[in-house]
Amino acid sequence: MFSVQLRFTDATIFQFSALTVHRQLQLASTSSHVSLSSSSSWRRATASDAHSETSETLERRWDNLGFNPVKTDYIYVMKSSEDGSFSNGNLRQYGNIELIPSAAVLNYGQGIIEGLKAYRKQNGSILLFRPGENASRMQVGAERLCMPAPTIEQFVEAVTTTVLANERWVPPSDKGSLHIRPLLLGNGPVLSVTPAPEFTFMIYVTPVGNFFEDGLKPINLVAENVIHRATPGGVGSIKAIGNYAGIMKAQAEAKANGFSDVLYLDSVHNRYLEEVSTANVFVVKDNTISTPALGGTILPGITRKSIIEIAQSQGFKVEERLVSVEELFDADEVFCSGNAVCVMPVGSITFMEERVDYGGSGFVVSQQLYSALTNIQMGLTEDKMGWTRVLN
């Protein structure tokens, strides 16, 4: 057997703990190998210019943030050993990666993604939101795909180290957040359908703008009854990298027809709600909030879990059960939840050419839950749930 490495072009390696990250980065040499396109207002950072921008320039950059990848300063890389354990993680300068053509992740999709955010408080410190939940979810997904995974402690430490190394890319609290994307890849060579002999855990980050700069903006959904997101016994309940390509066709067709996104139904009865493309869904009627029960085809969203706990603490009755498409036509509100959007109200849903509109109540429940959750995430209120982790 021969070894295959995931190589980072012209990447200098730095090994250190999160507690010493800033002092080490000041000593680290930098490379100009990775550059940004001239059309972008963002450029590659160096140690000498990390704090050289004027406040006016930085403010202009934050104002132009969207939800697109920005090349930041450092990524985190950790490889598996022969026994499947991970060790010796390190930071490397952001740059292109090289994979062997026979890598399992390229040929058979053996890979897991995660997503979480870091927020800057008004006092300048940085918060992570429930990173241990992401670590646990990655472990569940890895087991399903015959992959080893970092321990929860390794995962959280890697996220912490990566965020601190890229601290200057964390936007001000009113401008956005730092999107954190952990990846677990089967990068070893395979030809037949078999688990990779080698795995790599890596993290990159990118600043993103706020989805709702002027308040919550409802979206318009179409319920899809031909294409299905997941099937029983499949991998719909984990963040397998291949899960998302399969929804692109339905999503593209929906947007071409004027809709914001797609609401998927179950593949057995073609009647029960499952998910929006990358978000969980909730249906509000009176004081009851219903959401599809987890059962193997629905992703156990961390935002979903948090919304359920907040709603219960506020006196709502929360039901996790089968929710039929017919219930949409009698609902007071419908909203989605996910890492990217937090809570997103639904303005209308169209099913079989029949449209139902919401908003008569002013999206009161959506707004209430959105405010409660984002106030915790951004450190604007006391975290009585114990969900946030202060980095500095």
Side-chain angles (χ1 to χ4, degrees), residues 6 28 86 109 115 129 187 192 203 232 246 255-256 275 314 327 373 388:
L6 181 68
F86 285 83
F129 183 73
N187 61 285
S192 60
I203 303 173
K255 291 183 176 181
E275 292 187 31
Q314 293 183 348
E327 294 181 57
L373 180 56
T388 55

Side-chain angles (χ1 to χ4, degrees), residues 222 224 227 247-259 262:
V222 58
E224 172 63 50
I227 296 175
I247 65 175
M248 291 180 182
K249 179 178 175 60
Q251 189 181 59
E253 291 178 351
K255 291 183 176 181
N257 289 320
F259 298 102
V262 178

Side-chain angles (χ1 to χ4, degrees), residues 313-352:
S313 73
Q314 293 183 348
F316 288 98
K317 178 183 178 182
V318 179
E319 296 179 344
E320 297 181 70
R321 59 176 177 82
L322 291 175
V323 182
S324 70
V325 68
E326 291 85 1
E327 294 181 57
L328 296 174
F329 295 92
D330 190 43
D332 298 328
E333 284 186 52
V334 177
F335 64 87
C336 307
S337 73
N339 176 61
V341 302
C342 187
V343 174
M344 177 178 287
V346 175
S348 73
I349 298 177
T350 299
F351 176 62
M352 302 291 288

Side-chain angles (χ1 to χ4, degrees), residues 146-160:
C146 298
M147 306 172 72
T151 65
I152 293 177
E153 292 75 17
Q154 287 175 321
F155 183 102
V156 173
E157 175 67 15
V159 168
T160 300

Side-chain angles (χ1 to χ4, degrees), residues 56-88:
E56 181 180 354
T57 302
L58 283 173
E59 188 68 22
R60 186 165 61 251
R61 289 183 176 183
W62 299 135
D63 288 339
N64 293 330
L65 279 177
F67 199 79
N68 296 298
V70 171
K71 291 181 180 178
T72 49
D73 295 333
Y74 297 96
I75 60 176
Y76 186 93
V77 181
M78 183 164 57
K79 293 179 177 293
S80 66
S81 57
E82 290 185 2
D83 63 2
S85 63
F86 285 83
S87 61
N88 300 322

Side-chain angles (χ1 to χ4, degrees), residues 113-117 134 137 179-182 239 302 339:
I113 69 170
E114 269 299 332
L116 63 158
K117 288 181 179 178
N134 295 90
R137 189 169 65 181
H179 185 82
I180 306 164
R181 176 53 58 84
K239 290 185 73 70
I302 295 161
N339 176 61

Side-chain angles (χ1 to χ4, degrees), residues 205-386:
V205 299
T206 183
V208 294
N210 291 324
F211 259 75
F212 310 109
E213 295 181 359
D214 302 314
L216 293 179
K217 297 179 181 179
I219 60 173
N220 299 311
L221 301 177
V222 58
E224 172 63 50
N225 64 343
V226 176
I227 296 175
H228 296 281
R229 176 192 165 272
T231 59
V235 292
S237 63
I238 67 172
K239 290 185 73 70
I241 61 172
N243 283 356
Y244 299 91
I247 65 175
M248 291 180 182
K249 179 178 175 60
Q251 189 181 59
E253 291 178 351
K255 291 183 176 181
N257 289 320
F259 298 102
S260 307
D261 213 326
V262 178
L263 173 60
Y264 293 92
L265 304 180
D266 76 290
S267 61
V268 177
H269 305 283
N270 215 27
R271 180 188 177 192
Y272 298 103
L273 309 186
E274 294 228 318
E275 292 187 31
V276 180
S277 295
T278 57
N280 296 111
V281 64
F282 293 80
V283 177
V284 182
K285 181 63 178 178
D286 298 328
N287 196 53
T288 300
I289 301 176
S290 303
T291 188
L294 304 178
T297 58
I298 296 173
L299 185 73
I302 295 161
T303 308
R304 173 190 182 274
K305 181 178 181 179
S306 303
I307 287 296
I308 289 174
E309 295 179 50
I310 290 175
Q312 290 172 332
S313 73
Q314 293 183 348
F316 288 98
K317 178 183 178 182
V318 179
E319 296 179 344
E320 297 181 70
R321 59 176 177 82
L322 291 175
V323 182
S324 70
V325 68
E326 291 85 1
E327 294 181 57
L328 296 174
F329 295 92
D330 190 43
D332 298 328
E333 284 186 52
V334 177
F335 64 87
C336 307
S337 73
N339 176 61
V341 302
C342 187
V343 174
M344 177 178 287
V346 175
S348 73
I349 298 177
T350 299
F351 176 62
M352 302 291 288
E353 305 298 327
E354 187 175 354
R355 171 172 168 148
V356 57
D357 291 284
Y358 308 102
S361 65
F363 304 108
V364 174
V365 176
S366 303
Q367 180 68 64
Q368 181 176 326
L369 296 174
Y370 172 81
S371 297
L373 180 56
T374 55
N375 284 344
I376 294 174
Q377 291 174 327
M378 298 178 184
L380 299 177
T381 188
E382 181 184 357
D383 178 16
K384 296 181 180 180
M385 301 289 195

